[in-house]
Amino acid sequence: MGFFIRSLVTQQSKQVWRAYSTNASDITVKAMVYSSYGKPSEVLKWHTYPLTPLTDDTVHVRFLASPINPADVNQVQGAYPLKPAFEQLGDTKAAVGGNEGVAEVIATGKNVNSLKVGDQVVMARSGYGTWRTHAAGPVDDFQVLPPSTNTSVIQKATLTVNPCTAYRMLKDFTPLKQGDYVIQNGGNSAVGQAVIQIAKAWGLKTVNVVRNRPEIDSLRQELLDLGATHVVTDEELGSFDMRSKMKGWFDGKPPLLGLNCVGGKSATEMARYLGHNGQYVTYGAMARAPLALPASMLIFKNISFHGFWMTRWADQHNAADRYKMFEDLIGLMDKGALSEPRWTKVDWSEGAMKHAVDAGIQGFAQGKQIVFPTSSA
Ligand SMILES: NC(=O)c1ccc[n+]([C@@H]2O[C@H](COP(=O)([O-])OP(=O)(O)OC[C@H]3O[C@@H](n4cnc5c(N)ncnc54)[C@H](OP(=O)(O)O)[C@@H]3O)[C@@H](O)[C@H]2O)c1
């Protein structure tokens, strides 16, 4: 039996309300799913199944945009601590790939008051599966975004992981004052770009370490344009020259916060620039090399080493805390202080998605890969 509800639809760019009926056969979901772990292009498959019918207490959403993040790739490989549930999706037991994205509510059951048709939502928890056209579920599966005036779909689709991680790491580990320095590696990563911009908006200065490459000058300029104070390569980081240069920049006040996206040798090198009682936060391991810590950093400089995981933060905080963070970040986006990450479009097709996910943790990328599951563009 179909449920009659009110739905906001777009007709020739004019939004109109109309009665809308939905049942199991009305919407076919298309999704990139996997039923076992392995190399993404080998285990991911294109799957279609009927959308679960609406009930009085559930909503239907359609996905507008979903990124491919490094953690999504690790998850498909089975190398990520958060393991998704393999659920019955039509005739297949599988997990939908992806963890982040923005969706629009297209239908609400009659007991649903906290969401309405047309609301834009993000996932309430990690591991939801966002590489799909539609989803059905209770309102608790989703969290509505604060209103915005000038925030793009790309920014909304990539809000919950990287800008939130940057925001929390800048806020939660040590009190920082206007003019203080923060040092980070992976300065050109999506997290790194958010760190640069949020830090600038809060009056902080940043030293941003990136890997050297033939087009280093244009990357350096791009990050300076975002608001980076200095951009240095990992090769420059250990040089005698750089040590004395940085001393000059810091003018007796070395950074008390270091953010490590990478690990390995350059991450150890970066820790040497922290001041006494500094906080060093590791949130990524892109180099897949251990972080070696000279004892002197702990004994004589009393540097504290931490890990940060956004998923854990979200588990330990309520929706109101998360909403407040979204408001602050969307506020920055609305006023142009926090821009879209560098990104490239991935076609919503099996071949393109498989290729993109395989490429999702390869270095020297052109930016965040984003798919638009229900866009005809
Ligand atoms: N802990 C958390 O809660 C949390 C939240 C968000 C992200 N993360 C992690 O943070 C990292 C960055 O995520 P993102 O979405 O910002 O990534 P991204 O935009 O895809 O950027 C990847 C970054 O890693 C660098 N990189 C890639 N391969 C590398 C290698 N072999 N050695 C050194 N650097 C390498 C890239 O630099 P090049 O341009 O030089 O390749 C780039 O700076 C990932 O490890 C991700 O899982 C963690």
Side-chain angles (χ1 to χ4, degrees), residues 69-71 161-162 165 186 188-191 211 213 261-262 283-287 308-310 361 363-365 368:
N69 285 317
V161 177
N162 295 328
T165 297
N188 63 328
S189 68
V191 177
R211 290 198 291 179
R213 65 201 69 216
C261 165
V262 173
Y283 67 95
M286 292 303 295
F308 176 78
W309 194 24
M310 195 63 223
I361 48 173
F364 303 111
K368 186 65 57 194

Side-chain angles (χ1 to χ4, degrees), residues 149-372:
T149 52
N150 189 28
T151 294
S152 71
V153 161
I154 302 293
Q155 288 171 302
K156 291 172 187 169
T158 54
L159 169 72
T160 57
V161 177
N162 295 328
C164 289
T165 297
Y167 176 99
R168 293 264 61 103
M169 293 193 301
L170 287 171
K171 226 178 164 54
D172 294 349
F173 287 89
T174 192
L176 295 168
K177 301 183 302 301
Q178 295 248 333
D180 283 352
Y181 265 101
V182 174
I183 188 164
Q184 65 164 342
N185 59 25
N188 63 328
S189 68
V191 177
Q193 294 170 57
V195 165
I196 288 171
Q197 295 172 88
I198 297 169
K200 178 162 188 230
W202 292 351
L204 307 171
K205 295 178 181 167
T206 53
V207 174
N208 302 279
V209 184
V210 296
R211 290 198 291 179
N212 203 2
R213 65 201 69 216
E215 66 285 5
I216 185 65
D217 289 341
S218 65
L219 176 61
R220 202 187 292 271
Q221 193 54 52
E222 210 177 301
L223 298 183
L224 291 172
D225 290 346
L226 279 186
T229 317
H230 305 283
V231 179
V232 303
T233 67
D234 52 357
E235 290 165 7
E236 290 166 336
L237 195 62
S239 71
F240 180 76
D241 224 27
M242 186 50 69
R243 278 186 206 151
S244 61
K245 235 185 206 173
M246 283 219 212
K247 264 194 175 157
W249 296 344
F250 300 151
D251 195 20
K253 282 175 55 192
L256 294 178
L257 182 65
L259 306 176
N260 172 29
C261 165
V262 173
K265 191 166 167 286
S266 90
T268 305
E269 206 53 58
M270 187 175 78
R272 296 186 202 283
Y273 288 96
L274 283 183
H276 283 86
N277 304 314
Q279 310 293 316
Y280 189 94
V281 184
T282 292
Y283 67 95
M286 292 303 295
R288 297 184 194 193
L291 174 62
L293 300 175
S296 59
M297 288 185 196
L298 293 114
I299 301 171
F300 303 120
K301 290 181 87 180
N302 195 32
I303 294 172
S304 304
F305 292 85
H306 310 265
F308 176 78
W309 194 24
M310 195 63 223
T311 300
R312 184 171 52 234
W313 184 93
D315 287 346
Q316 293 172 347
H317 292 79
N318 59 30
D321 290 339
R322 200 167 178 240
Y323 191 82
K324 166 79 182 81
M325 171 168 63
F326 291 168
E327 278 183 324
D328 286 355
L329 289 167
I330 285 183
L332 291 177
M333 289 170 181
D334 275 351
K335 63 180 192 200
L338 181 53
S339 55
E340 291 177 353
R342 300 157 80 216
W343 66 277
T344 56
K345 180 182 170 182
V346 176
D347 286 339
W348 182 231
S349 69
E350 181 171 26
M353 278 298 284
K354 283 183 169 188
H355 178 77
V357 182
D358 265 350
I361 48 173
Q362 283 162 18
F364 303 111
Q366 291 310 304
K368 186 65 57 194
Q369 301 188 98
I370 299 184
V371 68
F372 302 86

